[in-house]
Amino acid sequence: MAIDDNQRSREAVLARVREALGRHGPDDEPRAAAHAYLAARKQGPRPTLPADLVQRFLQRAADMSSTTTRVEGIEQAPAAIARYLDHPHARAVCWPEIAALDWRGAGFDVDVRPASGDDAIGITGCFCAIAETGTLVFASGTDSPPATFLLPETHIAIVRADQIVAGMEEAFARQRAERDALPRAVNLVSGPSRTGDIEQTIVLGAHGPRRVHIVLVAAR
Amino acid sequence: MYFKERAHAKLHDAQLQASLARFQGKFVPARKTAITELDDFEGTRDAAAEIRQRALDDLDVWLTIFDENARARGATVLYAQTPAEINALVLEIAQRHGVRKIIKSKSMVSEESGLDHAIEAAGMTVVETDLGEYILQINNYEPPSHIIGPALHKSREEVSALFEARHGTPRKDAIDELCLEARGVLRTHYLTADMGISGGNFFVAETGSVVLVTNEGNATLTTTLPKVHVAISGIEKVVPTLEDVATLMRLLPRSATGQSISNYVDILTGVKDRGEFHGVEHMYFIVVDSGRSAVLGSDVRQALRCIRCGACMNHCPVYQNVGGHAYGWVYPGPIGIVLTPMYVGLDNALDLPYASTMCNQCGVVCPVKIPLPDLQRKLREKEFERDLRSWHERVGLKAWGWLARRPALYGVATRVGVRMLRTLGDRNGMIRRLPFGSGWTDERDMPAPAGRTFREQYKARKAASHPDALAVSVQGKPSASEAREGSRKETLG
Ligand code: SF4
């Protein structure tokens, strides 16, 4: 079978690549150079960002068609979300980390489970958020299921001010600092799902959320 | 049928011309604005070109590092030498996991191998999820015309009619209603598919990950909901680090659609945690050669830096007039006319390297600085060396070469030539019909020469010893392309 036999294709492809590069003999030297490059973590030129990363994040998120609101403390998030939804008896699903908030008190019901295709509203936290581009960064895991920010028409993300980093580079550095290896999925999401495939006319909600609402919790 | 015939037909296709006219207004100005957000755009381009070239220069090493890291995370890394092998591997993976329905996010490499047809021939269902690709799929697999917007050549009316016929729903005319209808149809497929197939914008060596970039989020859904994920991309798509991905992602969306960032960027590594509800249980990479190692060993190897942003075609005066289908294969535009002859054989794409005005718009906008006109010229030279050009072209070029090496004779011949051409000009100094050159004058008039060659004028002015005598008469500061144009005129004289 082709899969079990694939070692032969692997060797043939690598041999052709070596041939094309004019590489004969051992590759210890380029390998050492490659590992040195990996260790150096070289970055490209970075755009200068304003000192106030929170402000920049909110502005960029809005540019990407997310809506935003600010609250002073996390306990105010349910009421802020209720105001945004403006719908009595709304039902939502959420990540476990925010399950303990007083959703009932804000007037709606929240199930703590990954979203299915039938859920209209998904509420999540995030791993971190990127000021440069107004991007939410998610790291998949048991308590951070991606379905909740992918399947519902409305996605609401709660972001703490101390989760905002400058660029993708800092988001990756945080991943490295907090865990040994990348999770199965790191999803970088900037605003609602969109398409321009018919006459280049932008339509929101192509497959995923039509609305992304960000609740920013001020740092203490 | 070659490019020339197809291009001719496309120029007279009113529907297509209307779509192309609509298309031009958007990507080009959007890119122009978006790149101003980077205070060192040129420096970022240099860095990006370096990143891609570094990966290519030691491709064997980076591939091996990628392979080791991907395997360590539980992925299966497979290699395909040919398009047929891609299809065979995919079918076998599908059989292994008892797959009946496959959802697919955009993969150009799978277009090279006609993967969808192979899947259907094996009795399985495959559904393209990128809206553009989906539109083409339900239109009997019409070929894509652009690497970013595969269905940009289609009008809303065509899509309306297609949806009405295929979905059996009442006709919808508004674009947002059409998108909503497609969303509903595709959502059902996402939730019921057994396997997801994606391309791969980058393979990250340090982590063994694949990076997927979309605006619709279709790749994210395709790789989150089914239990099996197969990522298919070329050997050249390896980049060393996540930092490199960050740099390239500052350029890819800006160059493609003029966005600061694409809406979804997914970095996928290995299989799901035990506790995860969704997430793939089986992750396969198919790393494809299929002509790429041959390009790597050729003198057009820089073409492998390409990150498939589409900027070169958006800015190409030839593409803008004939659209993507005229190029006849998967990759259109300036990058296509380099890659296609290399992948399908120069003999099968003889006039593609000529589908260029050599204006270098493509080279100027390419985020990884591929010198596209140089590569096109190299292919032209190869054709000439291999005697693949027509006899009158070969004889003509030989004669010109002979003449050009004899400056005195050349001077006489051009002096006679320009004077003769001048007599063909009408009162406005335009030539309406050129003997032996009707291919040119059928569509446009040609300005008649001034009657004296450049060298004659140069000599005359030098004799007058005017301080500006030696300057070519270009007003103001010439742009790079004007300067090049100027130097080309000089060599003609
Ligand atoms: S050749 Fe350059 S401009 Fe063209 S698609 Fe590739 S990266 Fe983009």
Side-chain angles (χ1 to χ4, degrees), chain A residues 2 6 9 23 37 41 48 132 151 169 182 184 186-188 190 193-195 197 199 205 207-208, chain B residues 39 58 60 67-68 73 79 85 92 132 156 183 187 206 215-216 243-244 250 263 265-267 269:
Chain A
N6 197 256
S9 280
R23 178 114 68 217
Y37 181 78
R41 301 238 152 274
T48 30
E132 184 181 332
L151 291 173
E169 287 86 344
L182 288 180
R184 176 187 61 77
V186 174
N187 304 107
L188 292 83
S190 311
S193 151
R194 76 184 64 197
T195 183
D197 274 352
E199 295 194 353
H207 302 277
Chain B
D39 13 42
D58 290 311
D60 54 341
D67 182 313
E68 289 161 1
R73 289 296 303 270
Y79 292 76
E85 199 171 358
E92 198 181 317
R156 135 187 21 194
R183 177 192 168 102
R187 182 52 80 85
E206 72 159 322
N215 282 329
E216 297 182 4
E243 278 74 8
D244 293 340
R250 289 197 173 90
N263 294 83
V265 180
D266 307 311
I267 302 165
T269 317

Side-chain angles (χ1 to χ4, degrees), chain B residues 31 147-148 252 255-256 302-303 305-315 332-336 339 361-372:
Chain B
R31 170 190 172 277
I147 60 175
I148 299 294
L252 174 57
S255 305
Q302 289 136 310
R305 285 188 210 151
C306 176
I307 57 172
R308 305 281 189 269
C309 71
C312 56
M313 53 204 77
N314 295 342
H315 290 76
I335 184 66
L339 288 182
Q361 271 296 312
C362 49
V364 169
V365 296
C366 176
V368 287
K369 296 190 128 178
I370 302 174
L372 287 155

Side-chain angles (χ1 to χ4, degrees), chain B residues 12 107 164 240 242 267 288-289 311 317 346 357 386 424 472 490:
Chain B
H12 293 93
S107 154
E164 184 183 8
L242 289 172
I267 302 165
V288 178
D289 183 343
L346 203 51
T357 65
R386 287 178 46 195
L424 295 175
V472 181
E490 285 172 52

